[in-house]
């Protein structure tokens, strides 16, 4: 039986692992389907304190893993299929095997939201993508017009990254101003390759018949006018949904699936803690996820200490 099992291996998960490892609790980290979490799909992380020149998202996650492992954290590629928090020790089914835990830290993060328009699903990997860093350099996108959807930091980051490859980058946003931070918005506004299309939404991605992206159908929300814009790729960056389906009916969550901590980082189940984007729809930063991972580790350690007193 494990004293602490951490589900997820993003900033929150690895920080929780580091702290629980240093508390001699030998945490087991179940890395899940996307080891390293969402940050591994980003390019340069410029706002993680301590790295004035910025550093690559994958590099940051691999350093966090090494740091946690140095103090005794154990990591496996396991994916959790089922949980039972109604008995102690808690039971997790991981790739068909039973794992028992005295405490669990849920740090499963969030996934990219989908537009849910015709063509999106059928053309995924055929020009529709959710990650410019992963796919932007593909030959199909080189010197071609590309569309980025969204108005937040992610969309701005995707658009700026894609200026290396595309001929024009159309930033399609449903309002007339960006939600992104000032510094990102300024970079986008001053880049001559990026052309914002305000008050506009993508209503369809074409062309399923040709089995590749050739254009998007757009609607201007102010005028109602519809148009077709030729492009070779659609990069969707409209936010994230929490990866919490597995925990429905087991811990309290809000209507959007974000886990609600009850006291500190403890969920509605004593001994089950939560950290990072799966519980945070407000800040959603690498550093806040790491901070919450630290808090969850300290809460788990105190929970175990109080139980053994
Ligand atoms: P976000 O801030 O929630 O922005 C999502 C954007 O997509 C918004 O502009 C939103 O429009 C738009 N949108 C949402 N649903 C849509 C739909 N169905 N159709 C069309 N547009 C839609 O998400 P994010 O950009 O992924 O950022 C998430 C968090 O990570 C933020 O806290 C951000 O600061 C952080 N982040 C930081 C960096 C960085 O610092 N370099 C990079 C990436 C992310 P509205 O504006 O109208 O709501």
């Amino acid at each position: 039986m494990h004293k602490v099992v951490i589900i997820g291996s993003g900033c929150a998960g690895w920080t929780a692992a580091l702290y629980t490892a240093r508390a001699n609790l030998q945490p087991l980290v179940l890395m899940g389907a996307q080891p390293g979490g969402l940050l591994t799909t980003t390019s340069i992380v410029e706002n993680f304190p301590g790295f004035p020149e910025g550093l690559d998202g994958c590099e940051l996650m691999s350093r966090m893993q090494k740091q946690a492992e140095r103090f005794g954290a154990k990591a496996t590629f396991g994916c959790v299929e089922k949980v039972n928090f109604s008995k102690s020790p808690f039971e997790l089914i991981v790739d068909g095997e039973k794992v028992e835990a005295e405490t669990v830290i849920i740090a499963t993060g969030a996934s990219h939201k989908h537009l849910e328009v015709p063509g999106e699903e059928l053309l995924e990997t055929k020009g529709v993508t959710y990650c410019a860093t992963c796919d932007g350099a593909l030959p199909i996108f080189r010197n071609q017009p590309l569309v980025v959807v969204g108005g937040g930091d992610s969309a701005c980051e995707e658009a700026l990254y894609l200026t290396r490859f595309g001929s024009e980058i159309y930033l399609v946003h449903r309002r007339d101003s960006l939600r992104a931070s000032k510094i990102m918005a300024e970079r986008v506004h001053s880049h001559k390759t990026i052309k914002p299309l305000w008050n506009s939404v993508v209503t369809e991605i074409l062309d399923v018949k040709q089995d590749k992206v050739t254009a998007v159908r757009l609607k201007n929300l102010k005028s109602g006018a519809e148009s077709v814009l030729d492009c070779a790729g659609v990069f969707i960056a409209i936010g994230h949904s929490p990866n919490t389906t597995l925990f429905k009916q087991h811990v309290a969550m809000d209507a959007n699936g974000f886990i609600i901590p009850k006291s500190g980082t403890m969920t509605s189940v004593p001994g089950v803690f939560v950290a990072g984007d799966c519980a945070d729809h407000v800040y959603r930063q690498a550093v806040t996820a790491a901070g919450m991972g630290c808090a969850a580790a300290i809460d788990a350690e105190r929970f175990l200490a109080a139980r053994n007193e």
Side-chain angles (χ1 to χ4, degrees):
M1 185 180 39
H2 300 273
K3 288 194 175 76
V4 183
V5 170
I6 297 164
I7 311 176
S9 56
C11 276
W14 284 126
T15 308
L18 171 64
Y19 274 76
T20 47
R22 284 175 59 85
N24 252 346
L25 297 172
Q26 293 108 18
L28 173 70
V29 181
L30 303 171
M31 292 197 286
Q34 191 175 30
L38 268 188
L39 219 62
T40 58
T41 68
T42 191
S43 48
I44 294 293
V45 182
E46 289 182 330
N47 51 11
F48 201 86
F51 299 94
E53 289 82 26
L55 86 167
D56 178 77
C58 289
E59 167 79 8
L60 177 60
M61 297 323 301
S62 128
R63 284 182 185 220
M64 283 193 185
Q65 175 169 359
K66 268 191 209 145
Q67 197 174 355
E69 286 176 338
R70 189 183 142 206
F71 294 103
K74 294 268 175 286
T76 82
F77 284 105
C79 280
V80 182
E81 290 152 0
K82 229 171 149 186
V83 296
N84 184 350
F85 295 155
S86 67
K87 56 188 210 174
S88 182
F90 302 125
E91 262 181 31
L92 314 175
I93 303 299
V94 183
D95 296 338
E97 304 276 319
K98 186 164 88 177
V99 171
E100 290 184 325
E102 280 187 67
T103 62
V104 169
I105 298 176
I106 301 172
T108 44
S111 299
H112 302 290
K113 264 197 205 160
H114 291 217
L115 274 178
E116 286 167 26
V117 296
E120 180 182 17
E121 198 182 334
L122 291 172
L123 295 174
E124 192 170 338
T125 73
K126 293 164 184 169
V128 172
T129 142
Y130 301 85
C131 178
T133 327
C134 320
D135 304 325
L138 291 173
I140 52 166
F141 300 132
R142 300 252 171 170
N143 301 312
Q144 298 293 323
L146 304 173
V147 163
V148 175
V149 187
D153 277 320
S154 299
C156 290
E157 200 172 71
E158 302 277 275
L160 287 161
Y161 184 78
L162 290 170
T163 57
R164 305 174 199 191
F165 310 109
S167 53
E168 288 99 26
I169 313 300
Y170 295 98
L171 183 65
V172 177
H173 183 34
R174 62 186 180 183
R175 293 187 296 118
D176 62 0
S177 64
L178 295 173
R179 172 182 295 280
S181 55
K182 282 210 167 63
I183 186 164
M184 296 298 275
E186 273 163 22
R187 284 181 196 168
V188 161
H189 287 307
S190 61
H191 205 297
K192 58 182 189 316
T193 315
I194 302 176
K195 301 184 167 100
L197 300 176
W198 303 119
N199 302 308
S200 299
V201 289
V202 170
T203 54
E204 185 179 358
I205 301 172
L206 305 165
D207 182 10
V208 172
K209 273 195 191 132
Q210 292 187 56
D211 204 26
K212 64 175 185 180
V213 169
T214 59
V216 288
R217 205 179 290 286
L218 295 173
K219 183 173 180 181
N220 185 301
L221 295 176
K222 283 244 156 108
S223 65
E226 293 194 344
S227 57
V228 171
L229 174 68
D230 289 342
C231 63
V234 182
F235 293 77
I236 298 165
I238 59 167
H240 304 97
S241 328
N243 298 326
T244 55
T245 315
L246 187 65
F247 309 107
K248 263 186 193 147
Q249 321 296 339
H250 298 281
V251 295
M253 46 182 84
D254 70 13
N256 296 317
F258 288 93
I259 295 174
I260 306 169
K262 204 173 164 200
S263 157
T265 60
M266 187 139 85
T267 66
S268 53
V269 178
V272 178
F273 302 86
V274 68
D277 287 5
C278 59
D280 170 22
H281 54 89
V282 180
Y283 303 107
R284 296 175 295 173
Q285 303 297 306
V287 69
T288 51
M292 208 172 164
C294 159
I298 292 172
D299 288 343
E301 186 192 348
R302 289 183 182 162
F303 175 88
L304 288 169
R307 178 188 266 183
N308 296 330
E309 258 169 22

